[in-house]
């Protein structure tokens, strides 16, 4: 470093100038070192993490699958009208709903009265029946539709129409490429540490994604974990 010859500097000013120059020189050296070392160190960091990290098991959505049952159904209404059902809805005795012991709330069923062949579609929004040897409790409106109000009980056949919509799922995206080779390169670099990494494509873009989660917070945790080792990522809805 050269001091200007036409200026007078005290000892403190000279020390400050030398300190600033040393800091600037050190910063330039650090930048050059980082530019060279990061591409080398990142695979080593990932390899080191792989020995400590447990893979995240993919979360799957349980399907109801085919459902068929035959048994005795009853109905309820009257004093229960307007009360809360097990899923929090207000019970409408004139609506088309049913109580079942185990089927998910929101499941729709076709209920057929085997005595007369009449059918009705109902939605499960409550739990029951709790009487022995009964498989379904219908609302008054549903029971009336299939001629079950008078007898009070009857043998029915129940079949699945559809279940509730699947819960939202999330994944962590670490890259999107128009060239499959680049996506596969990134997949290869991450796979030893994150075996749940995969490539999802719509035919135009090749998206490298890690894991499938039933809630957003675990996905955000993985995103933060990736960010800590220098991998840019963000959480998106899983296909």
């Amino acid at each position: 470093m050269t001091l200007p010859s036409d200026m007078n500097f005290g000892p403190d000013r000279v020390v400050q100038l030398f300190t600033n120059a040393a800091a600037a020189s050190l910063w330039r050296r650090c930048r050059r070192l980082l530019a060279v070392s990061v591409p080398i160190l990142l695979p080593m960091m990932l390899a080191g993490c792989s020995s400590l990290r447990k893979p995240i098991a993919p979360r799957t959505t349980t399907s109801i699958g085919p459902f068929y049952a035959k048994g005795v159904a009853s109905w309820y209404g009257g004093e229960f009208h307007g009360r809360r059902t097990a899923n929090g809805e207000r019970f409408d005795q004139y609506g088309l709903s049913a109580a079942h012991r185990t089927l998910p709330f929101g499941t729709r069923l076709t209920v057929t009265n085997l005595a007369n062949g009449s059918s009705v579609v109902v939605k499960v929004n409550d739990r029951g029946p709790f009487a022995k040897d009964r498989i379904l409790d219908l609302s008054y409106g549903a029971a009336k539709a299939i001629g079950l109000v008078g007898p009070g009980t009857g043998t029915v056949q129940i079949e699945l129409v559809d279940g509730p919509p699947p819960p939202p799922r999330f994944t962590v995206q670490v890259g999107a490429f128009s060239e499959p080779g680049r996506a596969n390169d990134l997949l290869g670099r991450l796979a030893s540490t994150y075996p749940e990494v995969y490539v999802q494509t719509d035919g135009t873009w090749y998206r490298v994604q890690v894991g499938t989660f039933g809630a957003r917070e675990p996905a955000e945790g993985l995103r933060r974990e990736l960010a800590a080792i220098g991998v840019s990522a963000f959480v998106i809805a899983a296909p």
Side-chain angles (χ1 to χ4, degrees):
M1 174 183 176
T2 303
L3 297 176
S5 58
D6 57 344
M7 298 182 67
N8 294 318
F9 293 90
D12 291 341
R13 179 59 174 158
V14 171
V15 170
Q16 181 182 3
L17 286 171
F18 274 102
T19 300
N20 291 343
S25 176
L26 178 61
W27 171 239
R28 286 193 296 270
R29 291 178 184 176
C30 287
R31 289 180 62 184
R32 287 195 295 270
L33 180 61
L34 285 171
V36 173
S37 61
V38 166
I40 299 172
L41 290 176
L42 181 57
M44 296 172 63
M45 292 168 67
L46 289 171
C49 291
S50 65
S51 63
L52 302 174
R53 183 181 179 275
K54 293 182 178 180
I56 299 170
R59 185 184 177 104
T60 57
T61 301
T62 302
S63 172
I64 298 173
F67 180 84
Y68 172 89
K70 184 187 293 185
V72 176
S74 52
W75 66 271
Y76 67 120
E79 63 179 298
F80 297 99
H81 183 68
R83 293 187 181 181
R84 296 286 183 185
T85 62
N87 76 340
E89 295 179 1
R90 294 282 183 186
F91 175 61
D92 177 7
Q93 67 171 336
Y94 303 107
L96 302 178
S97 63
H100 191 275
R101 292 190 187 97
T102 58
L103 287 174
F105 295 133
T107 301
R108 294 197 307 154
L109 301 168
T110 298
V111 183
T112 303
N113 185 346
L114 295 180
N116 57 22
S118 298
S119 297
V120 66
V121 175
V122 299
K123 183 181 74 172
V124 175
N125 69 350
D126 209 354
R127 289 293 175 231
F130 300 108
K132 187 179 180 180
D133 300 327
R134 297 182 188 177
I135 64 170
L136 199 67
D137 244 348
L138 296 169
S139 64
Y140 168 82
K144 184 178 180 180
I146 61 172
L148 206 65
V149 171
T153 62
T155 303
V156 300
Q157 170 184 294
I158 57 178
E159 299 172 278
L160 178 70
V161 176
D162 56 42
R169 301 185 307 153
F170 302 91
T171 187
V172 180
Q173 184 162 301
V174 294
F177 307 94
S178 59
E179 300 172 7
R182 295 181 63 193
N184 288 327
D185 286 346
L186 180 55
L187 174 75
R189 293 201 301 272
L190 293 173
S192 61
T193 306
Y194 299 94
E196 63 273 35
V197 66
Y198 61 96
V199 175
Q200 190 274 333
T201 182
D202 57 7
T204 301
W205 291 97
Y206 297 83
R207 299 175 175 90
V208 184
Q209 299 170 348
V210 185
T212 304
F213 304 86
R216 188 180 185 96
E217 184 50 39
E220 290 289 353
L222 176 58
R223 180 194 62 77
R224 291 190 290 268
E225 180 183 317
L226 288 162
I229 60 171
V231 178
S232 178
F234 54 93
V235 175
I236 64 169

